Amino acid sequence: MGRRLLVTGGAGFIGANFVLYWLKRHPEDRVVVLDALTYAGNRASLAAAEGDPRFRFVKGDIRDAEAVEALLRAERIDTLVHFAAESHVDRSIHGPDAFIDTNVHGTHALLKAARAVWLAGDGRPHRFHHVSTDEVYGSLGPSDPPFTEGTPYAPNSPYAASKAASDHLVRAYHRTYGLQVTTSNCSNNYGPFQFPEKLIPLALIRILEGREIPVYGDGRQVRDWLYVEDHCRGIEGVLDAGRVGETYNIGGRNEIRNLDLVRALCRLLDARMAADPELRRRFPACPAARGGSAASLIRFVADRPGHDRRYAIDAGKIERELGFVPRQSFDSGIRRTVDWYLANERWWRAVMDGSYRNWLATQYGTDS
Ligand code: NAD
Ligand code: TYD
């Protein structure tokens, strides 16, 4: 008999990738998505799962512990994979409340529901997997060793602090009540279905539309990039063989400076446009469609307050214990990502609706 998963935030970037990955890889399993469809959630990202009898979408809020409890019972869920969150650092700087509400109170509501259902009476086999971020560890200096699972928490943004708080609650529900939890802390993801407020899709779409690419500060901040499907594979490994109560760092050993990343994207798009007249026709405002270079769009803008300088993950534990190996290099992953955004213009045009535009306008002016 297969597992019965509840995936919170399954209409978001990583959640949707995870649902599609899981349905493909686990034909026996049922996958129920619980998602509030905030600005970041898109049912369209789950189109490939719609109609599959093993899949169900439920629109609902993780903060509603009673509804979650009823869903866990009705669907006889044994595995909860918790992605739902407010996830964008810049938004957390402008409006931290939603981050505390969803990431802290929402995670706690899920934990309460899971405890009520899974630990009542003699209890029953279950797993609560919490998806977290490397940002809880704070910022590294240029020659500091990468984050391990033992690195002390030092979150710097309201987003990172809210995720850190949720990690602690998950740990406490294991230590205090015996809830069967695992946690993974992953580095920056990229790939299909990422909302175009995050650096890679934002820069990519701006290049296609010939709009300025904002690079914060000096652009020398370092992020450790992992292709989203490799993150999903890492979570799968933890669900299959991870030790209960343990935390696993997931990363790609791909440290790249923001400016180098943006320049690489520019070169990639220049080459794609030069080779393909159809692309030049579709995106006439792209500099390369007019014989120019996308790098001309790069603009240094004011730095993000409290901007973490460097993240880097030591993935040694998940590699040793669970045999985790990322399949995509940055080079192959970014090509796949560019291909996906070029082939799915309808998806990104649809998600770049009013709320996104209004928010960007307050950040960068009406050009957004
Ligand atoms: P996302 O913002 O793309 O998606 C979040 C999803 O959660 C959306 O579908 C949204 O509708 C849903 N959601 C938000 N509030 C909700 C609520 N109250 N109830 C139910 N659903 C709600 O986020 P993402 O980038 O896919 O990140 C998913 C998870 O992975 C987050 O927990 C994030 O902290 C973590 N993470 C992200 C990255 C990254 O690079 N994106 C890296 C490491 C960890
Ligand atoms: P982001 O994608 O927001 O992820 P995170 O803040 O979680 O790492 O940003 C990645 C890096 O890119 C981060 O150092 C901030 C920087 N950045 C820019 O320089 N310009 C932008 O427009 C954005 C969105 C991010």
Side-chain angles (χ1 to χ4, degrees):
M1 229 190 49
R3 277 173 283 195
R4 302 180 67 90
L5 277 69
L6 180 66
V7 179
T8 72
F13 161 47
I14 308 174
N17 277 282
F18 179 83
V19 167
L20 301 180
Y21 174 86
W22 198 272
L23 286 169
K24 225 185 296 159
R25 299 253 313 167
H26 301 271
E28 302 292 304
D29 290 0
R30 176 161 179 79
V31 177
V32 179
V33 165
L34 176 66
D35 198 296
L37 295 180
T38 68
Y39 81 96
N42 289 286
R43 205 137 169 206
S45 307
L46 292 165
E50 302 283 355
D52 186 327
R54 300 169 301 151
F55 169 78
R56 177 181 170 201
F57 181 86
V58 177
K59 184 172 186 298
D61 197 312
I62 57 164
R63 290 170 300 176
D64 186 347
E66 268 177 41
V68 174
E69 197 180 317
L71 187 59
L72 289 174
R73 287 188 203 284
E75 286 284 352
R76 291 178 288 114
I77 299 295
D78 52 39
T79 305
L80 193 157
V81 191
H82 176 33
F83 292 95
E86 289 293 335
S87 69
H88 189 42
V89 173
D90 293 325
R91 285 181 188 259
S92 84
I93 293 167
H94 295 281
D97 297 68
F99 288 71
I100 307 306
D101 281 351
T102 288
N103 300 0
V104 184
H105 296 294
T107 301
H108 189 231
L110 284 180
L111 288 164
K112 283 195 294 187
R115 179 184 170 212
V117 175
W118 286 336
L119 297 180
D122 293 338
R124 58 175 101 159
H126 64 269
R127 175 69 69 86
F128 186 112
H129 182 74
H130 177 54
V131 180
S132 193
T133 165
D134 61 357
E135 305 197 21
V136 298
Y137 299 122
S139 183
L140 292 168
S143 50
D144 288 339
F147 303 128
T148 69
E149 291 77 3
T151 302
Y153 275 32
N156 290 321
S157 69
Y159 163 66
S162 68
K163 291 297 290 187
S166 67
D167 293 8
H168 292 320
L169 285 168
V170 170
R171 176 190 158 89
Y173 266 65
H174 171 65
R175 303 286 287 212
T176 304
Y177 304 115
L179 196 70
Q180 309 275 292
V181 309
T182 40
T183 295
S184 50
N185 294 83
C186 190
S187 59
N188 285 62
N189 283 216
Y190 67 101
F193 300 115
Q194 187 166 32
F195 193 83
E197 66 185 345
K198 305 278 167 62
L199 179 62
I200 288 181
L202 179 137
L204 210 162
I205 290 171
R206 281 172 169 249
I207 292 169
L208 293 175
E209 297 194 327
R211 291 186 291 142
E212 296 179 352
I213 311 167
V215 171
Y216 300 164
D218 63 6
R220 289 166 185 266
Q221 305 82 6
V222 173
R223 295 294 182 266
D224 185 353
W225 294 94
L226 183 70
Y227 189 66
V228 63
E229 194 174 273
D230 283 323
H231 184 189
C232 297
R233 185 172 293 107
I235 294 171
E236 180 184 42
V238 176
L239 287 174
D240 284 348
R243 287 181 291 137
V244 166
E246 291 289 316
T247 285
Y248 294 88
N249 281 356
I250 309 179
R253 299 187 191 273
N254 260 319
E255 288 186 55
I256 307 175
R257 291 192 314 185
N258 291 342
L259 188 55
D260 295 336
L261 171 62
V262 169
R263 286 190 175 134
L265 261 179
C266 290
R267 283 194 301 274
L268 196 54
L269 265 300
D270 284 352
R272 292 293 302 267
M273 299 293 280
D276 188 344
E278 172 61 12
L279 282 182
R280 296 199 291 275
R281 191 195 58 76
R282 278 174 60 198
F283 301 106
C286 181
R290 295 176 277 117
S293 163
S296 63
L297 300 170
I298 294 174
R299 296 287 179 278
F300 291 96
V301 301
D303 208 353
R304 172 188 278 174
H307 198 171
D308 286 335
R309 200 67 183 163
R310 174 176 166 238
Y311 302 143
I313 279 273
D314 178 343
K317 180 175 174 182
I318 194 169
E319 288 166 357
R320 275 192 311 277
E321 285 192 18
L322 307 177
F324 172 73
V325 189
R327 295 222 176 130
Q328 301 302 327
S329 65
F330 187 72
D331 202 43
S332 63
I334 198 70
R335 280 173 197 280
R336 280 170 180 247
T337 305
V338 167
D339 286 346
W340 188 87
Y341 278 86
L342 289 175
N344 290 278
E345 184 179 351
R346 266 180 62 185
W347 180 90
W348 53 263
R349 291 235 180 261
V351 302
M352 290 166 70
D353 64 5
S355 55
Y356 172 66
R357 284 181 174 276
N358 292 341
W359 177 76
L360 274 191
T362 62
Q363 298 278 293
Y364 308 119
T366 46
D367 164 48
S368 306

